[in-house]
Amino acid sequence: MSVTADIQRLRTELGKLASFSESPAPAVTRVVFGDMDLRARDYLKTLFAEASLLVREDPVGNTFARWLGRSQSLPPVATGSHCDAIPNAGRFDGTVGVIGGLEAIRALQRSGFEPKRSIDLVLFTSEEPTRFGIGCLGSRLLAGALDASAGDTLTCVEGRTLNELRLSAGFSGRLGDVQLSPGAYEAFVELHIEQGPLLDLGRLDIGVVTAIAAPASFRIIVDGEGGHAGAVLMPDRHDAFLAAAEIALAIEAAARATGSPDTVATTGMCEVFPGAINSVPSRARLDVDVRDVDLGRRDAVLAAITAACDGVEGRRGVTVRLEPINADPPAWCAEPIVNTIAAASEARGLRHRTMISRAYHDSLFMSRIAATGMIFIPCREGISHRPDEYASPEAIGRGTEVLADTLAALASS
Ligand SMILES: [Zn+2]
């Protein structure tokens, strides 16, 4: 059985998909349930139908394209990713897993392979948090990690609810029906660009993902005492920004103190009020993201940050509030799938290594209901979420072929 990806076709279809964009090329912007998202979905559904896949959509717009296997009583295996794109992004994030997943199925079809288990290609709704402020919306609902009440509570900046927007996009039915039961899939494998530099730097073809880090994000609000920059004497100050600055440094120290390269903490936003050059800051707000693959270690960092906040509060006479935004647990990939991906890479003579995913993906949530693995391919300099994001057709082809071999092995057992 010779399974070969059609590289030219991958390139053409990724190019066509990139043309459905709210921003001019080479940038890609595709916000969930927007006109371009819906047109991209239509294009993909046409491709799914051309490959004789049976298409089903759920009430939040997750789309399942099925290649029927011989034993339809067995749980299928699945692959897939997302096609939404943050503002001013590139054309490969997510789409490589959708078009690559489709091409993996077509390559298997061309080779004459007949799957025992059905193979599903899943197009997840809104992996990016752009519209509703929460990432992995579709896969969260599939895994039961998000309650159906989110339909009314999640709103976009224009104040429209998830339910209003999905209905106007043509996705009806009860949101509660999106959830899949554990065991609904035998396995799930996602092909994705690395979004980091390790494969590109190491001139490697394939990253075999062993764990997916998950962010805990929270907001820190520091209230101090404002006043005239000339009139309030230094010993009398309770400067909210300086307290926040100390906290930001303590966050860095807490992440470094674990000694693990897998712990990262970022204070990516800082707002200072009232924000005038001649005014002592009365309030500061920090938005912080802490990630690790080890939940215990990540929670230890969070505890160290909380302790640092208490210390700063006492020393500087300010009040510090911590508001959690989100805290998903990290996930480990299933060992048999990790081994299958590594064996497929080895058999094709590809240079591969195991690695963790520092970005999070729909796989994080699929791992709650199915044995899950991820295949990474290199992207130039690790650049992602930018218009100059780039993965070569050859790299995508190699990832697609490893995915095809992996799906074939999983669908045969
Ligand atoms: Zn992605």
Side-chain angles (χ1 to χ4, degrees), residues 224-228 230-240 242 280-281 315-318:
E225 241 174 68
H228 194 286
V232 185
L233 301 180
M234 296 311 284
D236 302 331
R237 291 197 181 189
H238 303 283
D239 184 318
L242 293 179
V280 178
R315 272 200 313 283
R316 289 188 169 267
V318 295

Side-chain angles (χ1 to χ4, degrees), residues 38 49 79 85 98 101 104 110 115-116 158 163 168 182 193 198 254 265 281 292 298 304 332 393 395:
L38 298 179
T79 185
V98 178
R110 290 194 296 270
K116 181 173 160 196
E158 303 97 64
N163 277 340
S168 69
I193 56 170
L198 298 180
D292 207 316
R298 190 189 75 187
W332 294 96

Side-chain angles (χ1 to χ4, degrees), residues 86-174:
I86 66 162
N88 212 36
R91 65 169 62 175
F92 300 98
D93 175 8
T95 53
V96 158
V98 178
I99 297 288
L102 174 61
E103 178 56 20
I105 288 175
R106 290 186 304 217
L108 288 169
Q109 290 173 338
R110 290 194 296 270
S111 77
F113 174 77
E114 288 182 12
K116 181 173 160 196
R117 296 175 187 272
S118 298
I119 299 178
D120 268 11
L121 174 60
V122 188
L123 175 63
F124 294 98
T125 287
S126 195
E127 192 266 352
E128 304 290 2
T130 314
R131 191 143 205 187
F132 297 107
I134 184 170
C136 298
L137 178 63
S139 52
R140 263 178 214 276
L141 286 162
L142 285 175
L146 187 67
D147 200 67
S149 62
D152 294 316
T153 55
L154 286 182
T155 53
C156 66
V157 280
E158 303 97 64
R160 301 177 71 193
T161 64
L162 167 58
N163 277 340
E164 280 175 61
L165 285 164
R166 74 181 172 94
L167 287 169
S168 69
F171 302 111
S172 55
R174 293 176 50 241

Side-chain angles (χ1 to χ4, degrees), residues 81-82 93-94 127-128 190 192 195 361:
S81 198
H82 61 100
D93 175 8
E127 192 266 352
E128 304 290 2
E190 182 173 6
H192 207 282
Q195 301 182 289
H361 301 284

